[in-house]
Amino acid sequence: MDFYLTALIQGLCFSGIALGIYISMKIFNIPDITTDGSYTLGAVVTAKLLTFHQPLLLALPVVMVAGALAGALTGYIHTKLKINALLAGILVMTALYSVNLTFLGRSNIPLINTSSIFTLINISADPNHNTFWILLVFVAIITSIIGYLLKTDFGIAMRATGNSETMIRSLGVNTDRMKITGLAVANALTALSGFLITQFQGFADISMGIGIVIVGLGSVIIAETLINWLRITSVWLSLVLVLSGAIIFQFVLAITLNIGVDANLLKLVTAIFVLIIVGIPRLISRNTA
């Protein structure tokens, strides 16, 4: 039971990445590879601040600002320098590897005798249950903020930029600014996942972000499949399904490990699973057409 509770907790930790990928890919139609770097950046900044015994109330906004700056840089390169969005993300991700390694000072940092968001409040005597309830409240608050943002005039302009850039530009909206802001928000959420997972696992590692974009992508694809099947149009329900996608994704990986698949093959299993959930809906739609 604790094994699957851990998977549920990890799904909640990765909800920030799922929401970030949802904003960049589904709202703005931008394949943002900055995710790999900004996730590690969030973890690195968290680890450094906590090892220097800085308060969590300071660490959280610093982590989100760091992630937002990374995303904004990708957006600036894409919109102002007219470089392909995918290449812009790769350039920033590559640069962030050196930045993260410089901040970290070594390949990894263990969080020993440091404070944690999961120990601030004791809701339950069981540490795993306590972590779950704190994460659930935290993720609910973040999701509510994002949901509210997307329902405002600014959020509607963001969504319109992704749906019909030419139309929204004709109405006087600065689409370049919208894209930069959107990528900043997306990568702030990604860095937030780094903030959470670092405290949950108790260390930050320079290689922890490698391939992490596939986790967010898989979560969003699961959510998109459910949204299409259920014909969901509500922003709030869509965000809930994105969170559900992150949790389902982690449960699939947990089941894979539980049935005895070698942990060294987990990345391969992840890639195959994402390929399946991408390919099956396309094959079904092609056969029914």
Side-chain angles (χ1 to χ4, degrees):
M1 189 64 181
D2 284 343
F3 184 77
Y4 291 105
L5 178 59
T6 300
L8 176 59
I9 291 171
Q10 286 184 325
L12 290 173
C13 285
F14 287 130
S15 60
I17 293 178
L19 290 171
I21 294 291
Y22 177 76
I23 290 173
S24 61
M25 292 199 69
K26 294 306 171 184
I27 292 182
F28 287 99
N29 298 314
I30 295 177
D32 184 23
I33 307 299
T34 317
T35 300
D36 281 15
S38 55
Y39 170 75
T40 308
L41 179 63
V44 167
V45 172
T46 301
K48 292 299 287 187
L49 288 175
L50 293 185
T51 51
F52 283 114
H53 302 290
Q54 297 301 313
L56 284 165
L57 288 177
L58 172 65
L60 178 58
V62 171
V63 164
M64 296 193 72
V65 168
L69 289 174
L73 180 58
T74 298
Y76 184 86
I77 293 172
H78 170 53
T79 58
K80 302 302 182 183
L81 302 183
K82 306 302 178 184
I83 292 177
N84 178 273
L86 185 61
L87 178 57
I90 292 172
L91 290 172
V92 174
M93 177 195 71
T94 304
L96 281 175
Y97 184 88
S98 294
V99 171
N100 291 333
L101 189 57
T102 301
F103 277 150
L104 208 56
R106 48 183 175 170
S107 60
N108 61 75
I109 292 182
L111 298 180
I112 301 173
N113 297 324
T114 60
S115 58
S116 165
I117 190 173
F118 305 124
T119 58
L120 285 179
I121 305 173
N122 289 320
I123 301 175
S124 172
D126 186 297
N128 281 338
H129 291 173
N130 195 64
T131 298
F132 166 73
W133 288 114
I134 290 175
L135 264 177
L136 189 64
V137 173
F138 187 85
V139 170
I141 292 172
I142 295 299
T143 306
S144 297
I145 293 172
I146 297 301
Y148 175 77
L149 174 65
L150 293 177
K151 296 290 285 185
T152 62
D153 289 343
F154 182 80
I156 292 171
M158 286 174 61
R159 287 187 281 159
T161 299
N163 289 332
S164 181
E165 186 174 343
T166 304
M167 182 201 72
I168 198 67
R169 190 187 294 120
S170 68
L171 297 177
V173 175
N174 188 326
T175 54
D176 285 354
R177 186 180 301 167
M178 284 293 167
K179 289 179 181 179
I180 293 172
T181 304
L183 289 177
V185 172
N187 283 278
L189 290 168
T190 299
L192 184 62
S193 276
F195 170 82
L196 293 173
I197 202 69
T198 296
Q199 294 175 76
F200 175 64
Q201 66 187 14
F203 67 91
D205 189 276
I206 190 63
S207 63
M208 63 190 293
I210 296 176
I212 200 67
V213 66
I214 202 73
V215 174
L217 182 60
S219 304
V220 170
I221 292 172
I222 292 171
E224 184 184 25
T225 302
L226 293 174
I227 289 170
N228 291 336
W229 282 352
L230 300 174
R231 298 181 180 178
I232 301 296
T233 57
S234 167
V235 171
W236 291 103
L237 286 178
S238 296
L239 293 179
V240 170
L241 288 177
V242 169
L243 299 181
S244 301
I247 293 170
I248 292 170
F249 193 91
Q250 291 306 310
F251 266 96
V252 170
L253 298 184
I255 292 170
T256 300
L257 291 174
N258 201 34
I259 62 177
V261 175
D262 191 340
N264 292 331
L265 300 176
L266 195 58
K267 292 288 185 182
L268 175 61
V269 172
T270 302
I272 293 173
F273 176 62
V274 173
L275 179 62
I276 290 171
I277 60 178
V278 170
I280 287 179
R282 294 174 185 268
L283 290 174
I284 292 174
S285 61
R286 184 181 301 175
N287 292 331
T288 55

